[in-house]
Amino acid sequence: MIVGGKLSWNIVLKYTGRPVLLHVVLSFGVVIAYQLLGAEWLAVPALPVTVLAAAIGVLLAFRNNSAYDRWWEARTLWGALVNTSRSFARQVLTFLPRAEVTSAEAPSLVQGASSPLLRTAVGSAATVRGIAELVASDGAVRDRYGKASNRDHPEGRVLLATLETQGPGQSITEDERELVYAQIGFVNALRCHLRRQDPFPDLTPFFRASVLEALREEKNVPSAILIWVATRLRRVYGQHQGLDDVFRLVVLDRTLTELTNILGACERIKNTSIPLQYDVLPRAMVSAFLVILPLGVVADLTWLTPFFTALIAFLFIAMDSVGRDVETPFEDGVSDTPMTALCRTVEINLRQMLGETELPAPLQPVDGLLY
């Protein structure tokens, strides 16, 4: 996605440079023929050219609006995915049933992995008063240039060092850790699925080797991960029969259904392109108009015709190129939805919920582009 205060000329020239130059050369040929060779028959009335320009402008605006709707829906879906991922991790860490843990069962908990923030929820009032010092930005909020804020809180780190886990209920179980990691893996798998990339290099840190081997047999890896998560939840709740446990499982299932809906909506955008006639007709009309344009203005502008043609050609070709670019928001291009940065945000958020401190840095724009 293009971010920042200015548009790179490299990007502009990539889309418009060659075709604009072609039409400028053509307009020079028309001027030379009209002025030096006496081919006055090349001049045509300007009125039809003006009417054609207005009609093409309306056509391009309609197509570009449709393309932008696709791009915005894709960004909205990924915003919902970030929020749903946070909700799922919160539900896993607070809804999963906990049996009374004896000293013999204590090793089943991941000791030292309790989130400091969660410890304040069950700690003393003095501990809770320090919560404002503990919360730092993890890069989810960015400024107008796409740069992530990542503030440090030295006082918070000192306070964290003094907190101690006050019982097994505040430690992270293996089930909770695997389920939260599976959600991080899901968002990365969805990104690679939409970009037609191999997901397994990005999934390796979040799944056991046996799970990865089983996922390699699946055609739709994100969908398979959701099935794995649902099966894991069924196993956890199968050991408990309380009414509260049934309600919590239903809530978690609704979250998984929402993730499935997001997956399906992204696949719909990816696999359903704008109708071909919306794509071919505007480009054909723009090309035809730019060929006729020098003929309509050469009688009035003479040697200024190439400069006027360059300006008009840049405008129409840029409008056509922008529409073509934003209509495919999952192709890893300059106008792509910044899925890699959003996956990193989800990873930071969820791993921080697990109490981890060695977190990856938020992704920053490179040359005005955030991927």
Side-chain angles (χ1 to χ4, degrees):
M1 182 176 71
I2 301 174
V3 297
K6 59 182 180 180
L7 187 62
S8 170
W9 279 104
N10 291 332
I11 297 176
V12 173
L13 294 177
K14 175 184 176 181
Y15 287 102
T16 63
R18 183 174 297 177
V20 169
L21 180 61
L22 176 63
H23 287 289
V24 169
V25 171
L26 176 62
S27 65
F28 263 117
V30 171
V31 172
I32 292 173
Y34 182 84
Q35 290 290 102
L36 302 181
L37 302 180
E40 297 182 357
W41 55 269
L42 286 175
V44 300
L47 181 59
V49 178
T50 304
V51 174
L52 183 59
I56 295 175
V58 172
L59 182 63
L60 287 176
F62 176 78
R63 200 280 299 275
N64 284 9
N65 284 339
S66 300
Y68 179 78
D69 286 343
R70 288 166 56 87
W71 184 90
W72 182 244
E73 183 184 4
R75 182 60 185 87
T76 302
L77 287 169
W78 269 81
L81 178 60
V82 172
N83 291 339
T84 307
S85 297
R86 294 166 177 160
S87 297
F88 179 77
R90 170 177 53 79
Q91 291 166 354
V92 165
L93 295 176
T94 57
F95 281 6
L96 255 62
R98 290 288 184 87
E100 293 296 328
V101 180
T102 64
S103 58
E105 295 170 328
S108 66
L109 297 175
V110 183
Q111 299 298 330
S114 172
S115 167
L117 182 61
L118 296 183
R119 291 205 294 267
T120 64
V122 296
S124 65
T127 302
V128 175
R129 281 198 299 270
I131 192 171
E133 317 295 333
L134 303 180
V135 181
S137 171
D138 57 12
V141 179
R142 298 174 180 269
D143 61 21
R144 59 179 296 191
Y145 302 110
K147 183 177 178 59
S149 173
N150 195 15
R151 297 168 295 178
D152 293 324
H153 295 267
E155 299 85 354
R157 289 198 300 272
V158 172
L159 181 59
L160 288 179
T162 65
L163 295 176
E164 295 181 355
T165 303
Q166 300 185 4
Q170 286 74 57
S171 296
I172 304 298
T173 67
E174 191 62 30
D175 285 326
E176 291 169 347
R177 177 172 295 277
E178 282 205 85
L179 287 168
V180 172
Y181 268 30
Q183 180 58 33
I184 302 174
F186 169 77
V187 294
N188 282 280
L190 178 56
R191 165 177 56 86
C192 296
H193 177 66
L194 295 173
R195 288 177 173 171
R196 301 287 194 262
Q197 297 171 344
D198 180 14
F200 290 98
D202 293 315
L203 297 184
T204 301
F206 306 116
F207 292 98
R208 290 178 279 113
S210 58
V211 180
L212 290 172
E213 287 302 316
L215 287 175
R216 291 182 185 276
E217 304 297 324
E218 300 292 333
K219 300 297 183 182
N220 191 318
V221 175
S223 180
I225 291 174
L226 292 180
I227 295 175
W228 183 89
V229 169
T231 305
R232 185 64 176 265
L233 287 171
R234 184 181 65 178
R235 192 201 74 174
V236 172
Y237 279 96
Q239 303 169 3
H240 300 79
Q241 303 297 328
L243 292 178
D244 288 347
D245 294 329
V246 174
F247 170 76
R248 292 169 181 171
L249 181 58
V250 169
V251 172
L252 283 163
D253 183 71
R254 288 175 180 170
T255 304
L256 293 179
T257 300
E258 186 173 350
L259 291 170
T260 303
N261 291 336
I262 293 173
L263 167 61
C266 289
E267 289 178 330
R268 168 174 51 80
I269 295 175
K270 172 71 176 182
N271 299 326
T272 306
S273 60
I274 285 183
L276 184 61
Q277 55 270 33
Y278 283 8
D279 199 37
V280 173
L281 183 59
R283 171 157 292 191
M285 293 298 293
V286 167
S287 299
F289 166 73
L290 293 178
V291 170
I292 298 172
L293 177 62
L295 306 180
V297 300
V298 66
D300 296 322
L301 299 179
T302 61
W303 291 105
L304 293 177
T305 298
F307 302 99
F308 184 79
T309 300
L311 180 62
I312 300 296
F314 172 78
L315 176 62
F316 277 85
I317 292 173
M319 289 179 63
D320 180 58
S321 298
V322 166
R324 289 172 175 274
D325 200 39
V326 301
E327 72 184 25
T328 53
F330 296 137
E331 298 299 330
D332 205 15
V334 296
S335 296
D336 193 21
T337 303
M339 294 185 288
T340 304
L342 293 173
C343 286
R344 178 64 59 83
T345 295
V346 170
E347 179 180 352
I348 294 172
N349 288 172
L350 271 57
R351 289 178 63 183
Q352 197 168 39
M353 290 182 185
L354 293 173
E356 298 183 18
T357 56
E358 295 184 3
L359 304 173
L363 291 183
Q364 304 292 354
V366 177
D367 297 328
L369 299 176
L370 185 65
Y371 289 97

